[in-house]
Amino acid sequence: REQAENKFRSEIMRQACDNMTVEIPDVMIDEKVEEIVRNYAANFGFTDRNTSLQDLLNMMGVDAAAIRPSAEMQVKTELLLDAVAEAENAEITEEETEEYLKRVAEGIGAKPEDIKGYFSKEFIEAEMKKERATNAIIESAVEAKAE
């Protein structure tokens, strides 16, 4: 059930991004490609920031062009969520923050205090706003489908 729900949510977000009419500068996509590659390399313990992107790509046997579509979708998703979050402009209460931290902590087997201590308040609030924006998009799609 959870897998079906995630697939449904991903499809709604993909459709929402596909319907966007926004010009994304190549530099934003290039930066996202580099972020993806560096994060992937870091998963294998390679964190040397002085290594060029091209060297990382060569070491991993990956072509940047293969990563570009995924990077573009991630940038579109971020822009969409930022725009919806800004339009919603709802304040986040301390109670909502505590509930969010509790839920996230349970999901990774940690304590809410650990999450709170590791991430800044601004980062946590930004993540909460993205989650709200995602939920607003999903809810509007479900309502539109029901009509």
Side-chain angles (χ1 to χ4, degrees):
R1 179 181 164 158
E2 185 177 329
Q3 191 175 25
E5 174 72 17
N6 288 339
K7 184 177 180 183
F8 173 76
R9 292 172 70 87
S10 293
E11 180 60 23
I12 295 298
M13 292 303 294
R14 187 195 59 74
Q15 287 179 18
C17 286
D18 287 348
N19 289 333
M20 288 175 61
T21 54
V22 64
E23 286 289 321
I24 300 174
D26 283 340
V27 69
M28 288 180 79
I29 298 170
D30 293 342
E31 287 174 355
K32 184 56 75 173
V33 166
E34 183 163 355
E35 179 184 323
I36 290 168
V37 170
R38 290 198 182 279
N39 286 342
Y40 184 74
N43 287 337
F44 294 98
F46 197 85
T47 58
D48 183 358
R49 301 294 296 172
N50 295 321
T51 304
S52 73
L53 175 61
Q54 191 56 54
D55 286 345
L56 285 174
L57 289 166
N58 291 341
M59 284 189 298
M60 292 188 297
V62 178
D63 181 12
I67 299 170
R68 227 172 144 66
S70 175
E72 183 174 359
M73 183 57 75
Q74 286 184 32
V75 170
K76 278 185 170 183
T77 301
E78 289 169 7
L79 292 172
L80 174 65
L81 294 178
D82 287 346
V84 171
E86 187 174 317
E88 294 283 316
N89 197 26
E91 292 298 315
I92 295 175
T93 67
E94 188 65 34
E95 183 178 282
E96 289 172 311
T97 301
E98 293 304 320
E99 183 59 36
Y100 175 82
L101 290 172
K102 184 178 175 183
R103 189 169 29 86
V104 170
E106 285 175 3
I108 61 171
K111 296 177 183 165
E113 309 82 59
D114 297 336
I115 307 273
K116 202 173 189 176
Y118 190 75
F119 295 104
S120 71
K121 180 180 180 182
E122 292 78 19
F123 177 83
I124 292 168
E125 286 183 0
E127 291 300 303
M128 290 177 68
K129 287 179 180 181
K130 287 179 189 176
E131 184 177 275
R132 275 187 182 174
T134 300
N135 291 338
I137 292 166
I138 301 301
E139 288 168 15
S140 70
V142 170
E143 289 170 8
K145 185 178 177 183
E147 292 174 358

